[in-house]
Amino acid sequence: MNFAVHKTICSCRVGVLRLENHEIQTPGCSLYSRGGAVPHLATDVLHSIGNLPSIVHLSLQTIIDQPGTKVINKSSYNGIKQFLGVEEFISYLSIQDPVQDIREGYNEEKTVSVWTPGGRKKIDVNQFITVLKAFKPNIAECLCDTIPASGQTEKRIRKSVDRTLNFLDKCIEEKEMSKDVTSCNLFGVIEGSHSEKERIRSAKDTSQRPVAGFVLEGFSSSASDWCKLLEKTVESLPDDKPRLIHGIGTPDEVVAAVACGIDIFDSSYPLTSSRRQTKVVFISSLRKVSVHTQPLSLVEQWLSRLVASMYTARLMRLEQQKLTTIKLKLPQTFHASSHTWYSAAERGCALDIKWSRKRFKPELTYSPSAPEALKGEQTSSDDSLNQLSNSTDKKEPMDKGTLYEINLNHSRYSSDFTPLVSSCTCYCCTNHTRAYIYHLLVTKEMLAKVLLMTHNLQEYFQFFSQIRLSIEEDKFQMLKEDFLANSFSLTERCLVP
Amino acid sequence: MADEQVNPCALSYKVLAECSTTKARTAILTLPHYEVETPVFMPVGTQGTMKGLTSKQLTELDCQIILGNTYHLGMRPGTEILEKAGGLHGFMNWKRALLTDSGGFQMVSLLKLAEITEEGVKFQSPHDGQEMLLTPEKSTEIQNSIGADIIMQLDDVVSSTTTGPRVEEAMERSIRWLDRCIGAHARPTQQNLFAIIQGGLDPELRKTCIDEMVKRDTPGIAIGGLSGGEEKSLFCKTVSLCTDLLPKSKPRYLMGVGYAVDLVVCCALGVDMFDCVYPTRTARFGTALVPWGQLHLKNKQYTMDFEPIDRDCGCLTCKHHTRAYINCLLGREEVACHLLTIHNIYYQMQLMRDIRESIKQDKFPEFVQRFMKRMFPDNIYPDWAQKALASVNILLDSQQTRLSDSKQQTLLTKHDNNTSGECVSSIVSDEK
């Protein structure tokens, strides 16, 4: 494996990861898979998606019981890639599935627990090496004691860092002894939860070991100041090795993390948004408009009444106007400023089971992120809009995903015969309408998730190419400001200096 | 051939070849949206989608015509939205042909509280509990909004195992309802209304029904009221009787039939069109269809089976994945269902292609023999299939003498259960 950074602006950088005839451009993301399959997408549908990443992300948690090492060893395959039919990808094996929450209190001195569909499975260093021998991932995250991003005691954090370093030393030792796993690139894991001191210790100590790259675990945007913490952590890492992060995925988070110097992300976010059955149009603050959604159950009761009152023809007209404005203005503004990113100003995301499990009742609410958006259109009923917007801000920190999403599960889309995102070239947008997706969602047809995933992944992958381009063209700063300004107008989040 | 018809019609049916031994034929059925080659199997896409497959995948699988269910589509998204979207074709972006059923079958099968009167089918809406009435006029109106190439008359469906005066009543009412459907049909030059022959297993009733319905001169005719758990031999006799009496110049559609053996036998009896949820439903339960029967891929024996489902199959699933891979995903990832659905539809489509090709080459009897031999490698064929094929001059080289062997008898029963169970509704119980 070879990693070369060819441009750095402040902390943010573009590079190339060379591995097995693949050239992976960074910043980039991996292709999320679960149980060895990209959720909802059969091979042909998957390959219809543009800008498909070269790295497929497998998680030990979802493949250790099925297929498991036994099956792979029994086969004549050289590793799990062939079994899964993903030979054309580079494989990266993480310990946990980033979509599932970390369960606390199950890791022990010598073992890490993963929760498989069949229950808890304890993995020690020997088993981990067995896994590497059988699955033969190109890149593997070392066994690690990951803890949540917040609410941890100093003692627990220290233990997590110590154990993780200990696992790393043992894995390196074992790896050196067996020939079978020498081709595997082991990434050291940076822990430390919310403690800056421990983060830096973890980063520095891990850097001293012979690792091929780093995985930053235990970050979550729900923790305040995560950006600052990430920045400090990355500062303690050497520049010549790739840095991968889990738990950071929405567009504004990604931009912030790229600014800190992160190279690779996982693509679980488009899935989780497909699961919530929303698809998003994200409109930058420069446009002075924003459409986003909020699960009704998260908002107070009186708010729901407001929502109902807002669900009026006037409002719909208003929103349509906004969208039309974007469509019309976009090309000119875009070319005028040659601000490449705007071609991806419309972002999509969509969703699934997790939503219903939490018993959310997906409903649409609108709140302009920039109240000026309504200037010149201020009428009495607009007040309710602003109220809603403000109250939303105060009462609930926005669900990070919502800024970028349109919840298609709302009856207002039942006869909306426009594509999800009109400028999008994905299979879903070029062939189907919002009304059809809405119908598929209410009838609980599997095709809904297939189509939403297709769209969301394509949007997400394209987003990364836009980030790379913006860095290459020295326009990342603009992109970052747009993104973060936008998220700031809704949530008070730390800005990367 | 269809040109001689006086009544408005939106199809042409041109026979390309007829089997010189059996009643089988292959034809081009030109519908407003697509030229369909018959005999054809029509997968069922109940709610405007085929169980997780995209329109592109369906096209690539060579599906020529698919089914939508009037009852479901009338409920959601509803006729207003369908009309705005340019019918179901526009709504689901399907460029090829569509057929909708009348909605009557769902009322009777899904709803406990359905009550059938001369006026129509009265039922309680499962959505809001309101009492609703589906009349022949209403059914036709909804189907006109959906805009499928072929629409079905509302018929009075009784279970094929029913006997007594109810069967006759249902048959006669179906004729009266056909008249009402014809009267209500607003788009006869864009959509083809098919009559549905009723009459249970009674040859006299079937004959009467055919006489009356053929007089109405609909563009095509369906054989209804079968495949509901009746004895297979009676089923075949009834189908054969109908195909004997139905006009040769019109397409014949046998409703609710989709097992491979049944398809082959009924093609030999002269049927042109079939539909069934079986291949797609069984896929979702983890069963793959193969020329020698079925594979229940959830079973443990497949966890380390690194063969494709069928080595000779050309589908996407068989080209890229193994039984072990599908076994590992089943019950955990929906992709497994999609992969099996793709395979099963491909299997059905390939079977129909093979049938059509063999008829064109006038080698259909040989095809049937080969097919049956592969499906029943011990040459022990189900009695009903053997008799039905014999009635159209195809003799299977079965060893009759071996039938006395009790061991073989058991085998026979097993085969019967596995490959050609009695009715669609028994599939669920087949699954382990």
Side-chain angles (χ1 to χ4, degrees):
Chain A
M1 192 182 91
N2 170 288
F3 179 67
V5 175
H6 53 77
K7 183 165 185 177
T8 310
I9 306 168
C10 299
S11 308
C12 123
R13 60 208 204 151
V14 277
V16 186
L17 183 70
R18 290 191 183 83
L19 187 58
E20 272 201 352
N21 306 326
H22 283 269
E23 285 203 352
I24 300 147
Q25 310 291 329
T26 66
C29 69
S30 58
L31 177 63
Y32 173 80
S33 77
R34 191 173 54 195
V38 178
H40 310 299
L41 302 184
T43 330
D44 55 338
V45 181
L46 176 67
H47 285 278
S48 75
I49 297 172
N51 290 321
L52 213 55
S54 310
I55 306 177
V56 64
H57 171 193
L58 311 167
S59 56
L60 193 62
Q61 184 178 5
T62 62
I63 56 174
I64 186 66
D65 65 337
Q66 260 184 309
T69 51
K70 241 191 219 163
V71 169
I72 305 301
N73 285 333
K74 256 276 161 67
S75 74
S76 57
Y77 300 138
N78 183 30
I80 197 170
K81 270 203 285 186
Q82 219 177 338
F83 176 76
L84 303 175
V86 292
E87 298 102 311
E88 69 271 37
F89 293 93
I90 292 288
S91 55
Y92 159 65
L93 179 71
S94 72
I95 305 296
Q96 308 288 351
D97 175 7
V99 168
Q100 298 180 41
D101 292 333
I102 300 164
R103 296 208 201 186
E104 285 183 71
Y106 291 102
N107 291 348
E108 291 160 5
E109 215 47 54
K110 293 217 154 49
T111 63
V112 170
S113 290
V114 291
W115 292 84
T116 71
R120 180 183 176 189
K121 200 142 195 161
K122 294 193 209 175
I123 312 283
D124 63 17
V125 171
N126 284 335
Q127 278 164 298
F128 182 65
I129 296 293
T130 314
V131 165
L132 295 187
K133 278 181 189 165
F135 292 168
K136 296 194 173 45
N138 300 106
I139 302 171
E141 175 185 26
C142 187
L143 201 61
C144 52
D145 175 25
T146 301
I147 49 173
S150 53
Q152 304 299 313
T153 62
E154 268 303 314
K155 195 178 155 201
R156 178 68 184 95
I157 296 174
R158 221 176 311 129
K159 205 200 257 172
S160 149
V161 172
D162 287 340
R163 273 183 193 168
T164 302
L165 285 168
N166 193 24
F167 285 138
L168 179 62
D169 286 336
K170 282 192 179 148
C171 285
I172 291 171
E173 204 176 295
E174 287 286 332
K175 196 175 162 264
E176 272 165 8
M177 289 197 296
S178 58
K179 281 175 279 168
D180 298 356
V181 284
T182 42
S183 64
C184 174
N185 294 287
L186 196 63
F187 275 33
V189 183
I190 312 301
E191 298 285 352
S193 190
H194 47 76
S195 157
E196 191 180 305
K197 194 181 111 209
E198 287 301 313
R199 282 279 173 200
I200 292 170
R201 180 168 76 92
S202 179
K204 285 193 167 151
D205 287 4
T206 310
S207 307
Q208 285 161 11
R209 270 94 171 158
V211 291
F214 304 95
V215 180
L216 292 112
E217 279 283 7
F219 275 98
S220 161
S221 56
S222 62
S224 58
D225 280 3
W226 68 273
C227 269
K228 236 177 245 166
L229 188 64
L230 179 62
E231 207 192 0
K232 293 270 187 235
T233 311
V234 172
E235 274 171 14
S236 308
L237 293 174
D239 287 332
D240 59 349
K241 286 177 184 169
R243 304 147 185 170
L244 194 151
I245 198 165
H246 291 300
I248 295 297
T250 66
D252 54 327
E253 290 165 18
V254 167
V255 170
V258 164
C260 296
I262 295 297
D263 305 304
I264 305 169
F265 297 78
D266 67 53
S267 60
S268 51
Y269 169 70
L271 170 76
T272 48
S273 49
S274 315
R275 289 179 165 194
R276 267 174 261 145
Q277 284 146 17
T278 75
K279 179 222 120 278
V280 184
V281 177
F282 166 73
I283 297 139
S284 133
S285 61
L286 257 179
R287 302 274 149 266
K288 306 286 187 222
V289 276
S290 167
V291 184
H292 65 90
T293 65
Q294 174 82 357
L296 188 65
S297 60
L298 289 181
V299 204
E300 301 294 337
Q301 266 248 304
W302 66 269
L303 228 138
S304 72
R305 286 200 297 273
L306 258 180
V307 175
S309 74
M310 281 164 49
Y311 183 49
T312 62
R314 206 203 60 77
L315 189 81
M316 285 169 68
R317 202 185 60 233
L318 190 86
E319 209 236 8
Q320 259 174 7
Q321 280 169 1
K322 288 179 202 165
L323 291 172
T324 323
T325 317
I326 312 298
K327 277 176 214 153
L328 295 177
K329 282 189 184 161
L330 195 65
Q332 295 107 10
T333 328
F334 173 57
H335 288 304
S337 64
S338 56
H339 194 173
T340 327
W341 186 76
Y342 281 114
S343 63
E346 292 179 302
R347 302 256 139 253
C349 294
L351 322 198
D352 161 9
I353 316 139
K354 214 172 181 182
W355 194 255
S356 57
R357 223 190 277 146
K358 284 186 180 171
R359 270 186 280 130
F360 284 157
K361 270 195 193 143
E363 282 278 0
L364 250 202
T365 64
Y366 305 99
S367 58
S369 64
E372 314 93 84
L374 298 171
K375 257 183 203 163
E377 295 185 77
Q378 291 288 349
T379 64
S380 57
S381 58
D382 276 339
D383 293 340
S384 65
L385 262 179
N386 291 332
Q387 271 173 37
L388 175 78
S389 154
N390 297 336
S391 59
T392 311
D393 290 358
K394 280 177 208 151
K395 285 193 174 5
E396 283 283 344
M398 290 292 296
D399 177 349
K400 261 71 63 198
T402 57
L403 180 60
Y404 309 95
E405 295 163 13
I406 282 183
N407 185 343
L408 283 160
N409 218 4
H410 194 280
S411 59
R412 71 182 295 262
Y413 297 111
S414 65
S415 52
D416 181 344
F417 299 112
T418 58
L420 298 182
V421 174
S422 55
S423 61
C424 181
T425 57
C426 80
Y427 174 79
C428 178
C429 291
T430 48
N431 287 281
H432 296 292
T433 61
R434 295 176 180 186
Y436 185 57
I437 309 286
Y438 168 78
H439 167 74
L440 295 175
L441 288 172
V442 294
T443 51
K444 298 187 172 60
E445 284 285 349
M446 292 185 286
L447 188 59
K449 290 170 207 157
V450 174
L451 293 176
L452 285 172
M453 269 294 272
T454 317
H455 170 81
N456 290 348
L457 284 179
Q458 176 144 336
E459 282 281 307
Y460 201 62
F461 300 152
Q462 202 188 332
F463 166 60
F464 278 96
S465 21
Q466 298 297 343
I467 290 184
R468 287 194 298 272
L469 200 63
S470 77
I471 303 173
E472 300 273 12
E473 294 183 348
D474 290 327
K475 282 167 195 129
F476 180 71
Q477 196 57 30
M478 267 156 88
L479 184 150
K480 189 179 90 182
E481 277 162 18
D482 283 349
F483 260 107
L484 299 189
N486 203 323
S487 67
F488 265 119
S489 62
L490 288 152
T491 56
E492 293 186 358
R493 217 176 285 157
C494 75
L495 229 185
V496 187
Chain B
M1 294 188 182
D3 293 341
E4 295 158 21
Q5 287 171 4
V6 186
N7 284 344
C9 168
L11 64 77
S12 84
Y13 178 80
K14 194 176 155 210
V15 175
L16 296 178
E18 282 174 303
C19 173
S20 57
T21 311
T22 67
K23 292 192 269 177
R25 67 237 190 109
T26 177
I28 298 275
L29 172 64
T30 308
L31 294 168
H33 288 88
Y34 201 69
E35 284 192 5
V36 175
E37 293 175 83
T38 67
V40 66
F41 177 79
M42 308 180 284
V44 183
T46 303
Q47 317 206 71
T49 156
M50 180 68 61
K51 299 303 162 200
L53 300 199
T54 63
S55 306
K56 186 167 169 252
Q57 284 175 315
L58 291 173
T59 308
E60 283 165 2
L61 282 167
D62 195 26
C63 294
Q64 309 181 64
I65 172 167
I66 59 175
L67 240 77
N69 285 120
T70 297
Y71 166 77
H72 294 281
L73 291 165
M75 290 282 180
R76 291 181 305 197
T79 52
E80 198 188 314
I81 286 167
L82 283 168
E83 271 174 22
K84 274 194 219 159
L88 183 58
H89 278 99
F91 187 65
M92 66 182 284
N93 192 23
W94 174 246
K95 310 273 191 250
R96 298 186 174 182
L98 284 170
L99 181 150
T100 44
D101 67 354
S102 64
F105 182 73
Q106 265 77 29
M107 310 253 156
V108 181
S109 66
L110 293 181
L111 308 163
K112 289 168 204 145
L113 298 164
E115 185 197 334
I116 299 165
T117 63
E118 188 56 33
E119 211 185 344
V121 186
K122 208 189 271 177
F123 66 100
Q124 260 189 345
S125 160
H127 296 285
D128 53 11
Q130 226 184 335
E131 197 156 274
M132 292 165 84
L133 180 72
L134 185 79
T135 60
E137 290 80 10
K138 185 77 194 161
S139 166
T140 312
E141 189 194 320
I142 299 172
Q143 294 189 74
N144 280 157
S145 299
I146 298 172
D149 298 74
I150 297 173
I151 66 175
M152 303 305 297
Q153 73 154 109
L154 184 69
D155 55 347
D156 184 359
V157 190
V158 289
S159 158
S160 50
T161 48
T162 312
T163 48
R166 175 74 184 98
V167 183
E168 187 170 0
E169 182 198 41
M171 182 274 283
E172 275 165 357
R173 181 172 290 148
S174 294
I175 300 170
R176 291 192 295 272
W177 283 4
L178 173 61
D179 286 330
R180 288 169 60 188
C181 286
I182 294 172
H185 187 16
R187 308 175 69 220
T189 54
Q190 288 109 6
Q191 294 181 276
N192 299 287
L193 175 69
F194 276 31
I196 304 173
I197 308 291
Q198 290 291 347
L201 301 169
D202 184 329
E204 288 312 310
L205 294 182
R206 286 276 172 184
K207 272 182 206 161
T208 316
C209 190
I210 291 170
D211 276 350
E212 285 303 313
M213 286 189 171
V214 168
K215 275 188 216 161
R216 269 73 175 175
D217 195 24
T218 53
I221 297 170
I223 304 166
L226 292 175
S227 203
E230 69 279 3
E231 221 179 278
K232 279 282 188 180
S233 57
L234 293 173
F235 159 82
C236 289
K237 268 184 198 147
T238 311
V239 172
S240 197
L241 172 97
C242 292
T243 53
D244 280 340
L245 297 173
L246 287 170
K248 278 194 155 190
S249 60
K250 286 183 183 179
R252 304 149 179 174
Y253 163 27
L254 179 56
M255 304 177 84
V257 169
Y259 294 122
V261 176
D262 298 14
L263 291 174
V264 170
V265 170
C266 292
C267 280
L269 298 177
V271 176
D272 305 305
M273 303 162 71
F274 305 88
D275 82 283
C276 191
V277 294
Y278 172 67
T280 43
R281 179 177 292 171
T282 204
R284 296 200 298 284
F285 291 129
T287 304
L289 305 177
V290 285
W292 59 95
Q294 317 166 319
L295 305 180
H296 301 284
L297 288 172
K298 265 188 190 168
N299 290 356
K300 248 202 158 142
Q301 69 186 100
Y302 298 110
T303 48
M304 302 215 187
D305 186 338
F306 303 105
E307 284 287 306
I309 295 170
D310 176 5
R311 224 166 223 301
D312 303 322
C313 177
C315 81
L316 175 103
T317 309
C318 290
K319 275 195 275 183
H320 290 97
H321 303 293
T322 61
R323 297 170 183 174
Y325 177 71
I326 292 165
N327 171 277
C328 145
L329 289 183
L330 271 172
R332 309 205 297 163
E333 287 297 326
E334 276 176 15
V335 177
C337 300
H338 301 164
L339 293 175
L340 282 177
T341 306
I342 289 173
H343 170 81
N344 284 359
I345 292 184
Y346 186 93
Y347 170 79
Q348 297 284 106
M349 295 300 139
Q350 187 58 46
L351 177 65
M352 301 316 282
R353 270 195 298 272
D354 290 345
I355 290 174
R356 291 194 296 265
E357 197 48 40
S358 70
I359 299 171
K360 275 182 209 159
Q361 295 175 1
D362 205 7
K363 287 182 178 158
F364 180 64
E366 291 87 338
F367 168 81
V368 176
Q369 282 160 345
R370 262 200 324 274
F371 168 86
M372 292 298 281
K373 188 151 185 149
R374 185 99 200 259
M375 195 60 92
F376 305 98
D378 299 327
N379 288 3
I380 299 170
Y381 305 108
D383 198 41
W384 65 268
Q386 212 163 9
K387 280 187 180 145
L389 289 170
S391 77
V392 286
N393 315 310
I394 297 181
L395 295 174
L396 303 173
D397 53 346
S398 169
Q399 311 304 308
Q400 299 288 349
T401 46
R402 285 208 273 159
L403 276 180
S404 53
D405 192 319
S406 64
K407 221 177 178 179
Q408 306 286 6
Q409 280 285 10
T410 334
L411 255 173
L412 173 76
T413 334
K414 212 173 110 200
H415 264 310
D416 220 9
N417 285 339
N418 279 347
T419 57
S420 48
E422 304 270 81
C423 70
V424 175
S425 54
S426 70
I427 290 156
V428 184
S429 54
D430 278 359
E431 295 294 330
K432 261 203 160 175

